[in-house]
Amino acid sequence: MRRPDHPTTTRPTAVNGALPGPESPEAREALEADGPGGGGPGAGVPEAGGPDHAVPGPTTAPPLPTDGVTAEAVLAPYLQGQAADFLRSLRLHREHSAPSDAGGQGAEAAARALRRSARRISGSLHTFRTVLDPAWADHLRTELAWLSGTLAREHAYAGRLTRLLDALHQLSGATLPAARGTKPATKPGTQPATTTAARTAGAPEAQGRAVLGVGAARAGALLERQLTLARTRAHSAALQALGSSRFHAVADAVALLASEVPLAPGTTGRGTEALLEPAERAEQRLLAAVVALPADESAEPYNEAQDAAWHQARLLLRLHRYAHEVVLGAADPVLTGAGHALDLHRDAAEAAAAAAAAARTPRIAPATAYALGVLHADQRHEVEAARAVFRETWPYATAMTAP
């Protein structure tokens, strides 16, 4: 895996090699969880031989690679540990989902842990598909993606509502942002004009603040109705999913994964090169996606069509982080800032889309539409700011300037 100070790939020398801890307490907790160790299901299986070959005893194993570490000795404990975290989080979610848990904080924390483990298992199955049984990996990855997406919607709507209401409060209580490309009326160090013309020029701004103050409360109420309804529906969908036969099949598959990792034929006994190759491909896909991002000169904060490329880069960065955890034992710390910036970009883009959708509500008052328009502009500026932060924190400078 390439690092800014290591241009070549570093090969692991031990299972879950020692690197600095992951970028968040949640990821560190997932990595340090107790889980079954040892090799994959193919360990100790005798090789086929002719009549002149003696049948190996039950303790005979395939020859180990020269570095003494096999691919299954690295991948299997990671997947089994994440599967154990998944099952533990599921148990906690059921315990805290009882009516006696009025606050629901325990159930929410357990759901986050459940999604975290599901994402890591699904991402690892995607990256290391060539090392695993492909049919099994594709099926389980699809089911885990469905589960993680279903459970994430309720949390996403709640976070979006909080973000938009906070932004509305800040906008309604402060001076409206100046239009992009305009210059301030006075220069620093000069006294403000007191002529009648200056007061007349400031009248539209004062009027805009008054209209925003009137429309902000109505816009907040509209957003709260829409997003709360969406959150309630997402909560019902999550409860229905957790009680479905499809989810029980997923839980059973993860329970089997906690004890046995189906590997591809011929993988048993292979060295860590079998993991390094797909991990490097995941890294190269990430670097290529970052190179393809729109340049600063062509960036337009109100061009939502450019968001898709940034969302794709975020997903590829997540896959790279998970592959780094598998191969080197911990998340890459140099990508913490870049990953956080892409998370903020996603949140701001989705919040802007929610404000725009609310503004399209039929028969709303002009003041409400005006407040939602200002809110949309504010969130699109947050999108642009997140892109700038990503470019500043991205550790591979050459990738950002490649043609």
Side-chain angles (χ1 to χ4, degrees):
M1 308 289 290
R2 194 175 74 157
R3 298 283 299 278
D5 54 344
H6 294 82
T8 58
T9 300
T10 302
R11 299 179 184 272
T13 57
V15 177
N16 293 336
L19 280 184
E23 75 288 353
S24 65
E26 292 81 3
R28 187 180 300 109
E29 177 185 356
L31 290 174
E32 294 176 354
D34 295 332
V45 177
E47 297 181 359
D52 297 333
H53 293 80
V55 177
T59 59
T60 302
L64 291 176
T66 56
D67 59 4
V69 181
T70 59
E72 63 266 28
V74 176
L75 180 58
Y78 179 83
L79 289 176
Q80 291 169 339
Q82 296 301 326
D85 284 346
F86 180 96
L87 298 174
R88 183 162 44 248
S89 301
L90 177 59
R91 176 178 57 82
L92 292 175
H93 186 273
R94 289 172 176 171
E95 292 177 356
H96 291 288
S97 297
S100 58
D101 189 4
Q105 298 296 328
E108 183 178 351
R112 286 197 302 267
L114 194 66
R115 297 197 312 268
R116 182 177 61 242
S117 300
R119 288 195 307 265
R120 279 167 166 77
I121 297 174
S122 178
S124 300
L125 295 180
H126 174 79
T127 301
F128 302 103
R129 181 179 181 273
T130 57
V131 185
L132 302 164
D133 182 348
W136 168 82
D138 290 343
H139 176 72
L140 182 57
R141 177 171 60 88
T142 302
E143 296 302 288
L144 288 174
W146 159 77
L147 176 62
S148 179
T150 302
L151 297 180
R153 292 191 186 98
E154 179 183 0
H155 174 74
Y157 286 126
R160 200 170 304 156
L161 177 59
T162 301
R163 180 186 183 93
L164 289 172
L165 293 182
D166 290 345
L168 266 178
H169 176 73
Q170 294 177 3
L171 290 171
S172 60
T175 303
L176 286 178
R180 297 181 58 82
T182 61
K183 297 181 179 180
T186 60
K187 296 182 179 179
T190 61
Q191 296 295 327
T194 57
T195 62
T196 304
R199 289 195 299 270
T200 304
E205 181 180 354
Q207 183 180 3
R209 286 198 301 269
V211 173
L212 179 60
V214 173
R218 297 178 180 177
L222 176 61
L223 288 170
E224 188 166 5
R225 288 196 303 271
Q226 292 183 347
L227 292 178
T228 300
L229 177 60
R231 180 186 179 184
T232 302
R233 291 174 175 173
H235 179 73
S236 300
L239 292 179
Q240 184 178 2
L242 291 175
S244 64
S245 59
R246 183 179 183 182
F247 169 74
H248 288 294
V250 175
D252 292 341
V254 175
L256 293 176
L257 174 63
S259 59
E260 181 180 0
V261 178
L263 300 174
T267 301
T268 303
R270 292 183 60 186
T272 52
E273 293 82 0
L275 300 180
L276 291 174
E277 293 175 0
E280 289 174 350
R281 286 195 297 269
E283 184 181 41
Q284 292 303 317
R285 287 195 296 267
L286 168 63
L287 297 178
V290 173
V291 172
L293 292 175
D296 291 336
E297 294 76 11
S298 62
E300 298 179 9
Y302 297 102
N303 186 358
E304 284 80 359
Q306 295 181 353
D307 293 347
W310 290 87
H311 295 334
Q312 178 68 10
R314 175 180 173 272
L315 295 177
L316 293 176
L317 176 57
R318 172 176 287 179
L319 290 176
H320 169 68
R321 288 175 53 241
Y322 297 163
H324 201 282
E325 290 181 3
V326 172
V327 176
L328 297 178
D332 192 349
V334 302
L335 294 176
T336 300
H340 182 62
L342 290 179
D343 289 340
L344 292 178
H345 177 276
R346 187 273 314 270
D347 294 342
E350 293 182 346
R360 291 191 292 268
T361 303
R363 297 184 299 277
I364 60 175
T368 305
Y370 175 74
L372 291 171
V374 173
L375 181 61
H376 174 265
D378 174 74
Q379 292 303 302
R380 291 308 303 180
H381 291 164
E382 292 293 327
V383 168
E384 187 179 20
R387 293 176 181 178
V389 172
F390 173 80
R391 296 185 184 279
E392 293 174 358
T393 56
W394 179 249
Y396 305 118
T398 55
M400 299 296 294
T401 58

